[in-house]
Every structure is written in C-alpha cells, then in structure tokens.
Amino acid sequence: MTEPTAVLLMAYGTPYQESDIRGYYTNIRHGQEPTKPLMDQLVGRYKAIGLPSPLARITTAQRDGLQAALDKAHPGAYKVYEGLKYITPFIKDAVDRIAADGITRVIGLPLAPQYSSYSSEDYHNRARKAIEAHPGMEYLPVRSWWNHQELIHFWSDQLVAKKDLTDRPDTKVIFSAHSLPLRIIQGGDPYKDEVIGLSNAVARAAGLNEDQYVLAWQSAGRTEEPWIGPDFVKVAKDLITESGMKTIISASIGFIADNLEICYDVDMELAKAIESAGGTLTRLNMPNDSPALIATLQQVVVEAKAE
Ligand code: FEC
C-alpha cells in the first residue's frame, strides 16, 4: 500500500479553561505577557461567551469531518492532523506525530480562507520550522481557498433564503472579516483584496446589487497602531441612525467558525450597538463543520496533492 499523505489542518486555537488564558494570550503577543487591564478584558469576554469557546469543539469536528470525507472518497490516502498556533496541540506537536507515523508528505492547510502574511504564512512558517527536525519530509502549503464555489454558496444560499428581507430598502448586509494592522496591508499583503473578492463573489451569487451590501472590518486588536477600517460597529450604527436602515444582516465571511469574534464581537457587541441605535441584527450561520465546509476542504486537499 502507498504511504498516505498527511493533512496538517492548522487553526488559531482557543483556551480550554480560564487558567489557559494568560499563556494563550502571551503566545498571541509573541511572548509578551498581557497587562492586568488587557487580561481582565479578555477573561471578561471569554466568561461572557462561556469557556471553552465553541472553537475548540468545532476545529476538532472539522478535522474529523474532513477525515471521514477523505476516507470515503480516497480510502487510506490521507491522514488528517490538527495543529494549533497558540495552544496545544501545537503545530509542532502535530508534525512530530506525523513523523512518528512514518508519513513524509504533508499538505499544510490553514483554517483561514484568505491569505495573509499575519495568519496563513505564519501557520506555514511554524509548520516548516517543525518539519526541519524531520529530514526528508515534503511540505505542500495551501495558500488560500476563499474562492471555492462550495464556500461562496454556503454564504449566498443563506442570503437567497432571506430574499424577502434583503430586498427591503431598509435592510443592509454587512460582510466582515478580521481587521489587521494597516502596516501589514500597506506592505503589499493580498488579504484585503481577497476579502473584497469573497464579499463580491457572495453578493453576486446571492443576486445582491451594490446598494444592498457593504464591507466592514471587525475585532481589531487592542494595540496602539492603526487597523484596517471602517469598523463594523460604527458602520452598523451609522447605517441605522444616518441612512434609515432598520435591519442589519451580518455575514462574517472572513471566519469559518463560531469563535470569540463571532459569539462576543458579533452576537453581543454588535447586537447591542444595533439594538441601542434602534435596529435589529440578523446573523448568518458560520460554516463550522457543515457539509459545505467539509466539501470545500476536501477539494482543497485533493487539488493540493495534484499540484
Ligand atoms: O478563542 C476564540 O474563540 C477566538 C480565537 C481567535 C481567532 C482569531 C482569528 C484571527 N486573528 C487575527 C488577527 C489578530 C491580530 C491580533 C489578534 C489578537 C487576538 C487576541 C485573541 C484572538 N486574537 Fe486573533 N483570533 C482569535 C483570538 N488577532 C484572544 C488577543 C486579544 C485581542 O486583541 O482581542 C493582535 C495581536 C498581534 O499583534 O499579533 C493581528 C486574524 C484572524 C483570522 C485568521 C486566523 O484564524 O488565523 C487575521 C479564531
């Protein structure tokens, strides 16, 4: 039997319990411990959504779903491993397990649909570094996969199902993705263009015209430097108070799972801002471990192996 190909599914990771938060946050901050106000703020956000964040369960379900789909279509050809950036099981742990299983060909697949040097390339760099300890391993990085039809239709199908609402003149769809420090984009990073590409593709597939949607940015970090804007909370408030909108449909197309940024930043912060401005929020479901997301990942893997 030929050797299977490893699929290294790489995700952000999330603290499993309150005592994990400091270490996790320190890892995100490149080894710099958070100050007490920053810690209090983050602990408060996690407590508000309830620990652990659903992200932990969903990442594992995505791994299991992808493994099952690949087993069905290509029995014995792929073995899927989960490796996280900021908490266990780390990307390095997954690479060590791949090596222990005697597999030498690794497809690196970040669970972030759009490429950015901050997220995607950092996943790949961590994987490449871990692989250096295992001579003879071949690494096949997946750059980005936002333009897969299954993913586009996952989002557009939900908008089509809400056509009665989207067609109303007082409804606006806000597509959003995680903001990034402006310096990353000014350095030539394609992230912003890929997010714009996905929002336009979803809008087109849903039959929306340009007046029916806007793109905004969410969840900017707590740092001094400027981040990509406009922020989706301000955009939503302005749409209601200045443009007469009554319903905001939020589609966080930059993410693929219910996580802190969805359960807190959208479901609590954005919802509260919209409500206090006198409007109503409708939030589209996230891909999570849906058949559409699993089919997308499966196709990405098969294409990566064929390249
Ligand atoms: O626990 C959970 O459910 C949430 C996990 C989580 C995901 C996530 C995704 C992305 N982030 C991206 C960029 C940045 C930049 C900074 C930053 C900071 C944080 C903090 C937490 C956090 N992120 Fe995150 N992000 C998640 C969680 N993120 C917690 C620290 C507190 C805060 O600032 O809110 C700023 C730090 C730095 O300068 O390095 C930048 C991007 C994504 C989407 C792509 C991906 O998933 O890799 C981009 C999920």
Side-chain angles (χ1 to χ4, degrees), residues 193-248:
D193 291 339
E194 296 197 1
V195 172
I196 293 171
L198 179 56
S199 61
N200 288 339
V202 171
R204 214 173 311 120
L208 298 185
N209 65 48
E210 281 178 12
D211 298 339
Q212 290 174 294
Y213 71 96
V214 290
L215 173 62
W217 302 86
Q218 64 170 97
S219 314
R222 279 88 185 140
T223 64
E224 298 297 315
E225 61 182 332
W227 288 60
I228 315 171
D231 184 82
F232 74 163
V233 173
K234 176 166 182 356
V235 169
K237 279 206 287 205
D238 289 352
L239 282 168
I240 295 163
T241 55
E242 289 170 22
S243 309
M245 294 296 141
K246 293 222 163 14
T247 304
I248 300 295

Side-chain angles (χ1 to χ4, degrees), residues 77-149:
Y78 297 95
K79 194 154 177 211
V80 186
Y81 298 80
E82 175 183 338
L84 307 177
K85 211 187 245 189
Y86 297 121
I87 202 158
T88 56
F90 288 108
I91 291 169
K92 179 188 178 308
D93 303 333
V95 169
D96 289 346
R97 273 189 289 119
I98 294 170
D101 288 347
I103 303 180
T104 56
R105 201 165 195 229
V106 184
I107 293 172
L109 172 49
L111 283 174
Q114 299 88 8
Y115 176 88
S116 82
S117 50
Y118 174 85
S119 62
S120 329
E121 202 55 37
D122 188 41
Y123 285 114
H124 291 314
N125 286 337
R126 285 164 195 258
R128 288 190 189 103
K129 189 153 184 275
I131 280 172
E132 277 172 15
H134 304 285
M137 256 194 196
E138 182 191 7
Y139 187 63
L140 308 171
V142 172
R143 192 174 158 85
S144 69
W145 44 274
W146 62 269
N147 54 1
H148 275 254
Q149 290 307 307

Side-chain angles (χ1 to χ4, degrees), residues 18-187:
E18 196 179 330
S19 57
D20 292 336
I21 297 179
R22 181 174 293 279
Y24 171 76
Y25 202 175
T26 304
N27 288 341
I28 291 177
R29 291 167 51 84
H30 317 280
Q32 197 189 354
E33 277 217 18
T35 58
K36 186 172 181 319
L38 283 175
M39 261 302 278
D40 289 349
Q41 220 182 63
L42 188 59
V43 171
R45 285 163 74 210
Y46 275 116
K47 278 189 169 161
I49 68 163
L51 274 160
S53 142
L55 184 62
R57 170 179 49 76
I58 293 164
T59 304
T60 302
Q62 288 168 335
R63 181 203 63 200
D64 293 345
L66 177 60
Q67 182 71 69
L70 289 169
D71 283 348
K72 197 168 169 205
H74 313 275
Y78 297 95
K79 194 154 177 211
V80 186
Y81 298 80
E82 175 183 338
L84 307 177
K85 211 187 245 189
Y86 297 121
I87 202 158
T88 56
F90 288 108
I91 291 169
K92 179 188 178 308
D93 303 333
V95 169
D96 289 346
R97 273 189 289 119
I98 294 170
D101 288 347
I103 303 180
T104 56
R105 201 165 195 229
V106 184
I107 293 172
L109 172 49
L111 283 174
Q114 299 88 8
Y115 176 88
S116 82
S117 50
Y118 174 85
S119 62
S120 329
E121 202 55 37
D122 188 41
Y123 285 114
H124 291 314
N125 286 337
R126 285 164 195 258
R128 288 190 189 103
K129 189 153 184 275
I131 280 172
E132 277 172 15
H134 304 285
M137 256 194 196
E138 182 191 7
Y139 187 63
L140 308 171
V142 172
R143 192 174 158 85
S144 69
W145 44 274
W146 62 269
N147 54 1
H148 275 254
Q149 290 307 307
E150 294 268 9
L151 182 67
I152 292 168
H153 285 288
F154 172 86
W155 292 109
S156 65
D157 286 353
Q158 295 186 70
L159 290 171
V160 170
K162 295 187 191 320
K163 194 169 165 36
D164 286 352
L165 194 56
T166 57
D167 276 353
R168 290 176 55 122
D170 57 4
T171 295
K172 191 80 96 179
V173 177
I174 300 186
F175 293 115
S176 62
H178 203 302
S179 182
L180 275 184
L182 214 48
R183 77 185 137 82
I184 296 180
I185 302 306
Q186 285 163 344

